[in-house]
């Protein structure tokens, strides 16, 4: 369960919405829809993939578990973004060596980015959507990888990179949702919130 000091209270009109994420990036993306949550409450869960779990299934499970993990009034919005090379789920990198291994693996190849969004209603029911995206990196030289790692954007990022930063200059093309690759697919999020009665243009 989140500690009281992890909860940030902000104001907005009803219906009440809690964002189950510590990511400022997700909050910024949500603001693009004109939505500011009443509470930002990080969900503290075990994010270890099950043995043999497929990346898309893992992304959806993480979204559901985060939505269930917090106590909040009203609606809870949660999500998760997973970078995968084939069936292999890449980690949210915590050290430079791990980030380097991810970038070397992704160099010159396409990979999948699955981004889930889950909305838990006050009655406990949940609706979910998944954005399935493809990203292709150019062939990365050692110098390019060294330069990217030196910037520190890789820390805590799935697959060792953040597309909203300098890594975007290393991407040849994407197919799918740019906001989903960033961490919150806005088309899918808008659809869930609008169906739940939130005032979105």
């Amino acid at each position: 369960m989140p500690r009281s000091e992890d909860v940030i209270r902000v104001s907005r009109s009803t219906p009440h919405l809690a964002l189950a994420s510590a990511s400022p990036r997700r909050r910024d993306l949500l603001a693009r829809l004109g939505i500011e949550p009443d509470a930002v409450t990080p969900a503290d869960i075990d994010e270890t993939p099950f043995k043999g779990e497929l990346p898309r299934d893992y992304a959806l499970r993480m979204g559901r578990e985060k939505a269930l993990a917090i106590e909040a009034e009203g609606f809870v919005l949660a999500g998760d973004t997973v970078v995968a090379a084939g069936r292999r789920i890449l980690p949210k990198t915590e050290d430079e060596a791990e980030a380097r291994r991810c970038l070397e693996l992704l160099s010159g190849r396409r990979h999948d980015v699955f981004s889930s969004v889950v909305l838990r209603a006050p009655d406990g029911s949940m609706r979910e959507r998944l954005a399935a995206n493809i990203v292709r990196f150019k062939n990365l030289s050692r110098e390019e990888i060294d330069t990217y790692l030196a910037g520190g954007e890789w820390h805590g990022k799935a697959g060792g990179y953040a597309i909203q930063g300098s890594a975007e200059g290393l991407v040849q093309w994407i197919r799918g949702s740019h906001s989903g690759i960033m961490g919150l697919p806005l088309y899918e999020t808008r659809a869930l919130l609008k169906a739940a009665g939130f005032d979105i243009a």
Side-chain angles (χ1 to χ4, degrees), residues 64 67-68 74-77 118-128 192 196:
R64 293 184 203 111
L68 290 169
F75 290 86
V76 176
L77 184 71
V118 178
L119 185 66
R120 190 187 87 197
D123 64 3
S125 63
M126 291 197 292
R127 296 181 180 182
E128 61 188 37
L192 289 181

Side-chain angles (χ1 to χ4, degrees), residues 19 21-37 40 164 179 182-184 186:
L19 178 63
S21 175
S23 168
R25 182 174 64 258
R26 286 198 176 98
R27 184 171 173 181
D28 289 345
L29 285 167
L30 192 58
R32 296 183 186 182
L33 297 177
I35 297 290
E36 179 148 343
V40 178
Q164 69 273 19
S179 60
M182 288 176 63
L184 187 70
L186 291 184

Side-chain angles (χ1 to χ4, degrees), residues 80-162:
D80 196 64
T81 300
V82 175
V83 174
R87 296 167 62 97
R88 179 178 174 183
I89 297 170
L90 300 189
K92 294 177 181 177
T93 52
E94 295 301 327
D95 60 66
E96 189 172 303
E98 188 175 50
R100 182 181 297 278
R101 287 192 295 271
C102 286
L103 293 173
E104 288 174 347
L105 175 64
L106 299 177
S107 174
R109 64 179 292 180
R110 50 190 280 176
H111 61 274
D112 296 305
V113 180
F114 298 102
S115 194
S116 67
V117 59
V118 178
L119 185 66
R120 190 187 87 197
D123 64 3
S125 63
M126 291 197 292
R127 296 181 180 182
E128 61 188 37
R129 300 284 292 270
L130 181 75
N133 316 288
I134 301 174
V135 178
R136 181 183 173 88
F137 273 116
K138 69 182 292 294
N139 288 310
L140 303 176
S141 67
R142 181 181 181 85
E143 181 181 6
E144 286 171 327
I145 292 176
D146 289 345
T147 299
Y148 183 72
L149 294 176
E153 292 178 351
W154 54 268
H155 190 267
K157 300 299 191 300
Y161 75 93

Side-chain angles (χ1 to χ4, degrees), residues 6 17 27 38 41 47 49 86 104 124 126 135 151-152 165 169 177 183 188:
D6 289 331
L17 178 70
R27 184 171 173 181
D38 296 279
T41 309
E47 298 192 28
E104 288 174 347
M126 291 197 292
V135 178
S177 166
E188 289 79 3

